[in-house]
Amino acid sequence: MEVKILEEGKDEIKLEVTGITPGIAAMIRRVIISEIPTMAIEWVDFYKNDSILPDEIVAHRLGLIPLTFDKSFHTLPNKCDCNGKGCPKCQVKLYLYKKGPGYVYSGDLKTTDEKVKPLYDKIPITYLNENEEIEIEAIAQLGIGKEHSKWQAGNCGYSYENDTFKFNIETTSAYKPKELFLEAVNVILEKLEDLKQKI
């Protein structure tokens, strides 16, 4: 497999790939969209919510905020030493308290792990009028896109012509676009090794 970078930006990359089959190209695309672990808020406890938005909508918005994480430390709950019961490696708590008037932004979230925080500070969550308050506690964990779209690491499409694949990869997470391609290859290699062990 040979890979050539055609264009590279902060959120998007275009690659030219040769030496692979259409099946492998489709596999890379599927893995980028649905099988690369990312961090997102999974549970939210509301202590107070005076905003016009109901708890369910606020929780949904919180879940869609992309979060940074340590790829060498944090792990999926089902692969964690604690068996997903909850430890610093597989769960991170975040807190939010704000009093109006004004918008509540992603940057208002406070974290218990500085490696896990919103990728962007100005994502609006809700609005509070005078003397209105919101207070929540949330738990974030790793997941994959095929479980829920909030864990989708990126978008990927490709074209095929004369044995050459041109990939267009866009990040929707803390991964850089180039990292998504490399992570997809690693996930595929892990799957092949797992299959080898089972045969």
Side-chain angles (χ1 to χ4, degrees):
M1 179 172 68
E2 293 185 10
V3 182
K4 178 182 178 182
I5 298 175
L6 301 177
E7 295 178 32
E8 185 174 10
K10 180 183 176 183
D11 299 319
E12 192 173 359
I13 193 170
K14 294 183 180 180
L15 304 173
E16 184 178 270
V17 183
T18 56
I20 61 174
T21 65
I24 292 175
M27 189 184 303
I28 291 171
R29 176 184 173 275
R30 283 195 304 271
V31 168
I32 287 173
I33 292 172
S34 64
E35 295 193 53
I36 295 177
T38 61
M39 186 73 74
I41 289 173
E42 172 71 336
W43 294 288
V44 181
D45 286 327
F46 285 85
Y47 299 110
K48 197 164 191 179
N49 178 18
D50 296 331
S51 75
I52 194 171
L53 295 179
D55 293 354
E56 293 83 356
I57 300 298
V58 175
H60 178 71
R61 289 188 173 191
L62 289 167
L64 295 177
I65 295 172
L67 302 173
T68 61
F69 66 100
D70 187 342
K71 303 171 188 70
S72 64
F73 176 75
H74 296 109
T75 186
L76 289 162
N78 63 351
K79 293 183 178 180
C80 189
D81 295 335
C82 73
N83 295 316
K85 294 178 181 177
C87 72
K89 289 183 69 175
C90 68
Q91 288 187 358
V92 177
K93 285 187 178 181
L94 297 101
Y95 301 91
L96 172 61
Y97 172 79
K98 195 163 185 180
K99 186 175 182 178
Y103 281 97
V104 181
Y105 291 104
S106 53
D108 294 316
L109 284 162
K110 307 302 178 188
T111 180
T112 57
D113 182 345
E114 282 304 314
K115 295 175 182 176
V116 178
K117 55 187 177 182
L119 187 60
Y120 306 104
D121 288 337
K122 287 297 183 181
I123 299 174
I125 298 170
T126 188
Y127 182 83
L128 298 172
N129 290 310
E130 187 76 32
N131 294 322
E132 289 183 340
E133 296 175 288
I134 187 168
E135 184 178 3
I136 66 156
E137 180 179 312
I139 294 178
Q141 67 179 40
L142 288 181
I144 55 178
K146 67 181 181 181
E147 295 174 359
H148 194 285
S149 60
K150 66 184 176 185
W151 284 305
Q152 185 174 329
N155 292 313
C156 179
Y158 65 88
S159 60
Y160 177 49
E161 187 176 349
N162 299 325
D163 296 323
T164 299
F165 296 86
K166 291 185 178 179
F167 283 85
N168 187 13
I169 302 170
E170 180 185 12
T171 183
T172 57
S173 63
Y175 288 95
K176 295 178 181 178
K178 186 191 295 184
E179 289 179 324
L180 289 175
F181 185 84
L182 297 174
E183 286 292 329
V185 172
N186 287 335
V187 169
I188 291 169
L189 291 175
E190 287 176 9
K191 286 178 173 288
L192 290 173
E193 183 61 30
D194 185 54
L195 178 63
K196 181 181 176 182
Q197 296 297 326
K198 291 179 179 178
I199 292 177

